[in-house]
């Protein structure tokens, strides 16, 4: 399905990124496996080339083509090098899977400036950095081809933490929401070059979620519904030529289920009697409106978390 295409997968030394890189390679893609290899899931510890190199070696051992890149996607120059490595090694870049991420959970009243900055930097700026250089590459390629569409695909990684609210993750939920904004903006900007940009909200048992989801169930009952292996088929499909009409979309994916999310729609509309609302007038319409609704209904949609399957 991806024969001859070249993909960059960020944060592919472990967890979901690793599963995605292996899957794209199995479908015929050349893969640049990026990971800065720091041991802590909060991004702490020394950088190491080992996680990215091990996954690249695993792909090559299975007969695929892969190159490792030990770099930090939140660094603008290192993101430039990552995209250049794909183009220099394989001749072009076709697929960018933005997946690298860290966690520094804390309630908002206790969060430090560093916990906020680090998480927003890796997720949101990290997604922007690679997108910036991949987008320039595709625009150049399309122009060189007289404006013809190119095979350019971006799959971003958001989270249900953004969709449903997550009390202990103000930094993470904000960054993941920002990634949805980046996705729709970039989708609109790159549509004319034939490039699609979508976001997934995965759910999987990795080191990032081991204290939320716990240990895997005992073997024998089929594939664990939270195995990372449920996520890569959607990434591969969105990366393929077959998905050329799908852009600016958000999906929730886990356990053999893919849910297509919709943007918030207007739930109710109130008009001022005069030119402008007075606060008292808003009290007269909004207080009764919300009195009939369960707390949290509406924009903050807790039902997303009930999409669980398996
Ligand atoms: P993980 O910790 O297993 O893997 C993340 C990888 O990213 C690690 O190998 C890490 O070294 C790498 N990384 C982190 N920062 C980096 C940087 N600046 N540059 C390069 N590499 C970097 O976590 P995971 O569960 O596989 O998460 C992958 C993505 O999926 C993340 O964006 C995460 O927020 C998202 N996500 C995961 C879940 C889940 O249930 N696991 C749910 C929602 C979203």
């Amino acid at each position: 399905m991806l024969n001859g295409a070249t993909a960059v997968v960020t944060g592919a030394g472990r967890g979901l990124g690793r599963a995605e890189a292996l899957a794209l390679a199995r479908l015929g893609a050349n893969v640049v496996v990026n990971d800065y290899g720091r041991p802590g899931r909060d991004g702490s510890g020394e950088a190491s080339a080992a996680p990215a190199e091990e996954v690249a070696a695993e792909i090559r051992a299975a007969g695929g083509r892969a190159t490792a890149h030990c770099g930090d996607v939140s660094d603008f120059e290192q993101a430039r090098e990552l995209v250049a490595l794909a183009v220099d090694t394989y001749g072009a870049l076709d697929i960018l899977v933005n997946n690298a991420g860290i966690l520094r959970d804390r309630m908002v009243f206790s969060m430090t400036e560093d916990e906020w900055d680090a998480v927003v930097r890796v997720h949101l700026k990290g997604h922007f950095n690679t997108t910036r250089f991949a987008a320039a590459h595709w625009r150049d390629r399309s122009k060189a081809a007289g404006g013809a569409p190119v095979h350019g695909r971006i799959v971003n990684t958001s989270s249900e933490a953004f969709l449903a609210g997550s009390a202990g993750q103000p930094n993470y939920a904000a960054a993941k929401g920002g990634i949805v904004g980046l996705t729709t903006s970039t989708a609109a900007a790159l549509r004319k070059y034939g490039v699609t940009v979508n976001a997934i909200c995965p759910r999987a048992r990795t080191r990032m979620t081991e204290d939320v989801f716990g240990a895997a169930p005992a073997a024998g009952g089929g594939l664990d519904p939270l195995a990372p292996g449920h996520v890569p088929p959607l990434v591969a499909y969105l990366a393929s030529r077959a998905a050329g009409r799908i852009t600016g979309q958000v999906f929730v994916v886990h356990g053999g289920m893919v849910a297509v999310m919709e943007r918030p729609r207007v739930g109710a509309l109130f008009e001022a009697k005069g030119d402008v609302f007075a606060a008292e007038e808003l009290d007269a319409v909004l207080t009764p409106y919300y009195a009939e609704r369960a707390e949290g209904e509406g924009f903050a949609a807790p039902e997303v978390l009930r999409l669980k399957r398996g």
Side-chain angles (χ1 to χ4, degrees):
M1 206 168 178
L2 300 175
N3 255 347
T6 295
V8 162
V9 183
T10 72
R14 304 182 182 92
L16 283 165
R18 174 179 172 276
E20 291 162 356
L22 292 169
L24 298 185
R26 266 197 303 275
L27 290 169
N30 313 311
V31 181
V32 179
V33 178
N34 158 270
D35 206 296
Y36 68 6
R38 293 184 191 277
R41 73 173 181 183
D42 60 356
S44 62
E46 287 301 306
S48 160
E53 279 175 357
E54 281 164 19
V55 173
E58 201 176 335
I59 291 172
R60 288 194 296 266
R65 288 170 302 278
T67 305
H69 176 265
C70 172
D72 180 348
V73 292
S74 72
D75 181 291
F76 198 60
E77 285 311 313
Q78 291 181 45
R80 184 201 302 271
E81 287 163 20
L82 171 59
V83 170
L85 178 66
V87 176
D88 294 347
T89 309
Y90 300 110
L93 173 68
D94 307 291
I95 299 157
L96 169 63
V97 181
N98 282 314
N99 160 83
I102 61 168
L103 278 186
R104 294 195 186 179
D105 292 356
R106 191 90 58 197
M107 295 301 280
V108 69
F109 37 79
S110 307
M111 181 158 285
T112 66
E113 184 181 7
D114 185 57
E115 287 164 344
W116 174 271
D117 286 348
V119 167
V120 172
R121 183 179 163 91
V122 170
H123 289 275
L124 187 52
K125 187 177 176 197
H127 271 61
F128 160 70
N129 285 346
T130 48
T131 296
R132 157 73 181 77
F133 296 109
H137 168 71
W138 288 320
R139 181 169 171 267
D140 289 349
R141 245 169 72 189
S142 173
K143 285 192 165 180
V150 297
H151 178 203
R153 301 279 184 269
I154 299 180
V155 181
N156 289 331
T157 307
S158 181
S159 167
E160 291 166 274
F162 155 65
L163 287 169
S166 180
Q169 301 185 303
N171 48 359
Y172 183 76
K176 291 306 199 186
I179 286 168
V180 171
L182 176 67
T183 300
T184 54
S185 167
T186 312
L190 300 185
R191 187 175 273 126
K192 70 175 177 183
Y193 305 113
V195 175
T196 70
V197 190
N198 295 291
I200 62 165
C201 302
R203 204 185 286 184
R205 211 182 298 279
T206 65
R207 68 173 191 170
M208 188 176 270
T209 53
E210 61 197 3
D211 37 4
V212 186
F213 297 141
L223 187 59
D224 171 10
L226 288 174
H230 289 289
V231 176
L234 176 64
V235 174
Y237 168 68
L238 292 173
S240 74
R241 290 185 186 275
R245 286 188 66 247
I246 304 174
T247 194
Q249 303 298 302
V250 178
F251 301 88
V252 173
V253 53
H254 60 262
M257 179 212 75
V258 170
V260 177
M261 305 312 293
E262 292 192 346
R263 283 198 202 189
R265 301 193 225 180
V266 178
L269 192 115
F270 304 96
E271 291 196 56
K273 291 198 183 78
D275 288 340
V276 62
F277 267 116
E280 296 82 357
E281 210 184 322
L282 285 170
D283 176 31
V285 290
L286 289 182
T287 303
Y289 174 76
Y290 279 103
E292 287 171 15
R293 277 164 180 78
E295 212 174 303
E297 190 182 315
F299 192 80
E303 68 268 19
V304 174
L305 293 173
R306 290 199 292 271
L307 283 172
K308 195 166 181 172
R309 185 175 182 274

